[in-house]
Amino acid sequence: MYKNISRLKVARIILLAIEFLLGAALFSLSFFADVFKITFEMTPYIFLYFFVFLIIVEITYSFFSFTLIDFSITRNYLNISNIIGYDINEVINKSNIGLLYYSNDYKIMWTSSLFETRNLFLLGDDLPTWLPALQPLFEPSNKDTTLYGINIKNVYYSVTKLEQSNLLIFRDTDELFNSAKDRESQQIVIFYLLVDNYSDVRSALNDTDFAQLESAFRRTVTDYLKVYNMSIFQTSLGRFFGIGAYQDYEQIRKDGFSITNKVKHVKGGLTEHSFTISMGFGIKSYLVSESNELAREALSLAQQRGGDQVGVKAFSRGVEFYGGTNLGIKNTGFLPKIRSFGVQLAEVIRNHSNILIMGHRISDLDSIGASLGVYAFCKNIKSNVKVVYDENSTEIKTNIAIKTIFPKAESNAIFVTPRGALENNLKDTLLILVDFHSYSYALNRDIIDKSKNVIVIDHHRRQDLAIENLLLDFIDPLSSSTGEIVTHMIRQRDYKLSTMTSKIATFLFAGILLDTNHFRSSETSTRTFEACAILKEMDADLDRADDFLRDDYKEFELKTKLMLNVETPHFGIYIIHGNEEDVFEVSVLAKAAQEVLALKEVNSVFAIGRTSQTQVGISARSNNQFNVQLILEKLMLEKTILDKGGTSGGRFSAAGGQINDISVEELKILLCKVLTLYLADAKRKE
């Protein structure tokens, strides 16, 4: 194309020269006619004929020039399209991306429409002369194929050179920057919806009633999401996949994901049964595959926290939960699941020569009792089994109980210190974690990090930053305690455990008493009483278990100190706290909160006190009207606490946490702020 343009330039010069010579000759004849005695008269007609002749020549030249240029442009367009493809070329012509094609001698041969719309007519120009800033792209030593911040008429571009194609791509970075918010609003959001109790409702209803309920449910969900421009598709029984834009997701979030409550009021036929749902959203990722994985993880966590809630996971961030303001979905499939888990666990135990069992830091009776129960389960299969025990990271009452019930020789046979555990070859050891599933609650993090084969048994709601890469896990937030889970697992075995002693049964019973507050907590169920009956059959000493929980005078005095400082930021919500100089055991905070909760017109209690010189603890209890775990989760997301480092865990009616380098007063102020913001969200939805 450039060669044709060059030829036209030469032809234009020659034609102008000829026209000039003809005009000069004509006027010379008229001027010198008398001198050379030539008969010639310059009449108006001769001038008119000459002018018409010039017009015809110019029209003819222009016609052939335009034809040649049009042919060259078409041929050049075809060449460019062959390089980048017709479809891509058309898309680029309609976008804010510009393409520039140059010859081997750096002459500009073709540009996309972006340049013309911005008054940049560059055909035939020398590329380095027009834009010297691009020179580094063409230097042999330069390995970068993209330059940033290229200024063209006060607009900044990034310019990318495509190797072996003589093609430059100009991207308007000003436009990209100005439309950043628009692009975020159009990010793809993936979500999953799962019916928590699909199987239970299906088995409870006849075909007609169930079909009516399912149809009404689908219509309710579809109509709700249609308002927010979301699409949803059923992928299997009780499971749905959805997709939408981030701006529409934001509207659903502002609505509070009310669909989780709407579906509870959907009935079919004359039945009173209804569905509950869990949802998982994956947001703020430009990759659809990544959003899909985020949504799956969020749904899994929502389910493991008891269901009937929404989990939202953003790229490179933790999971936020919405809803979860009921006590969880009662699942009739517990016994088959725990039986299956017990079979799998036994098989894994057989494949390992060494087994370690470890509870959480500041171990209580449920943590130690459940660990001893798992110890008996493992000991019946393998002989080399130990429970990791750190006297300095165990509650005083639990320490006293261990020393009282186990003679030194028996204690040495059962327990091992964290240092002693680390002396083993942990790569070949099976590590079973009991009553926790998050790194922040580990008795010893090094033991987990050095172990390749890890199993978790827990009853707390699933937390973000949970321990990963597990061989097996059994986490049931509907169980009252981990001791309850372990007791049923032992019973579901086909044989009686000879290693299940009266002492271990007593510890398991004491752990259940602790976590249920002597069967007063909302998590207490028929399964809880069944587990206690099983332990009684195994010769648990109920009186001794109760003695483990009795307070001494010093503990009574500390609880009294806490109760002297009371505030009620909202009706039915009480905050009790200690002074800065007093140090409390975590169990004292929990018991004080529980005792205040027993008073009239108290719905929730938060006990705050220093647990060490560098940490302040908080223990929360509710009478099932408020989700105290949700409040503590929001508290841990406060910037002050995020900067200092804080952890929390628990379940609907009982939760706790610890924060580093903060004062009791600071924590109390932050708690009041969070209560004001999220108390309505935490209130139980009927």
Side-chain angles (χ1 to χ4, degrees), residues 540-570:
D541 188 333
L542 307 190
D543 291 333
R544 199 169 198 179
D546 189 56
D547 284 339
F548 290 163
L549 297 169
R550 291 185 183 275
D551 297 339
D552 57 23
Y553 182 79
K554 184 178 180 181
E555 190 171 38
F556 171 77
E557 186 180 31
L558 287 170
K559 284 194 299 182
T560 304
K561 280 188 175 182
L562 280 169
M563 296 178 191
L564 288 174
N565 301 310
V566 183
E567 296 183 22
T568 55
H570 301 273

Side-chain angles (χ1 to χ4, degrees), residues 92 97-100 158-162 167-171:
I92 287 171
I97 296 176
L99 296 185
L100 183 150
S158 68
V159 182
T160 301
K161 178 179 179 289
L162 296 186
L167 194 66
L168 297 179
I169 301 175
F170 289 72
R171 174 173 292 187

Side-chain angles (χ1 to χ4, degrees), residues 219-257:
R219 187 165 55 252
T220 300
V221 172
T222 303
D223 290 347
Y224 174 84
L225 293 172
K226 189 181 294 183
V227 173
Y228 298 100
N229 302 312
M230 293 280 191
S231 299
I232 191 169
F233 316 92
Q234 186 166 1
T235 57
S236 59
L237 295 178
R239 189 179 183 91
F240 299 80
F241 168 83
I243 189 169
Y246 182 78
Q247 63 183 7
D248 300 318
Y249 155 79
E250 274 293 301
Q251 296 305 312
I252 293 180
R253 185 185 65 80
K254 291 176 181 177
D255 173 61
F257 301 97

